[in-house]
Amino acid sequence: MDFAKRYLSYSVDKGLDLVAKSGKKYVIGEAKFLTDYGGHQNAQLRDAIGLLNEYRGEAVPVAILDGVVWIENGGKMLNAVRKLEKTALSSLLLKDFLESL
C-alpha cells in the first residue's frame, strides 16, 4: 500500500489486494470472492468497482472477482460488471492478463 501511494499515485481509502509489475506496467487490484447475492455481497462488489472508478494514477486498475458474479442469470452483479469500461476478471485469468500487458 505504501508503494502504491508513493509511486503509483494511489489515494483511494481502501486497501489493495494486488500490486504487480508486468513488463514496464504496474497493476493494482482489489479481489473479492462473492458467494451469494444481495446485501453485503453487493457492497463487496461496489468496493472492487470503486477502485476502478476512483483510481487516477498510471497503474492499470483491475477488479479480481470470483464466485456468483459470473453466473448468467440476468442478475445485477453481472450486469454491473459488463457495463465497466475498465478491467474486471476472474483470478483464473490473472496470469494471462498480466502476461498480455
Side-chain angles (χ1 to χ4, degrees), residues 4-99:
K5 285 183 177 183
R6 182 174 291 158
Y7 299 105
L8 304 175
S9 302
Y10 182 76
S11 62
V12 180
D13 288 335
K14 294 283 181 180
L16 283 175
D17 295 316
L18 171 74
V19 176
K21 185 175 182 187
S22 182
K24 294 185 179 186
K25 292 187 179 184
Y26 283 96
V27 176
I28 61 171
E30 177 84 17
K32 299 292 180 188
F33 182 68
L34 305 166
T35 59
D36 202 357
Y37 299 100
H40 180 69
Q41 299 294 309
N42 287 339
Q44 293 292 308
L45 179 61
R46 281 192 303 274
D47 280 350
I49 291 174
L51 170 67
L52 301 180
N53 293 332
E54 296 174 29
Y55 178 68
R56 300 287 181 250
E58 294 179 27
V60 178
V62 297
I64 303 162
L65 306 171
D66 284 299
V68 299
V69 66
W70 299 113
I71 295 175
E72 294 272 358
N73 66 355
K76 293 178 183 178
M77 286 184 176
L78 185 56
N79 288 337
V81 170
R82 284 183 170 154
K83 292 177 184 176
L84 292 173
E85 294 181 15
K86 296 187 180 174
T87 304
L89 56 108
S90 167
S91 61
L92 298 172
L93 301 173
L94 184 58
K95 181 178 183 258
D96 293 331
F97 174 74
L98 292 172
E99 290 173 352

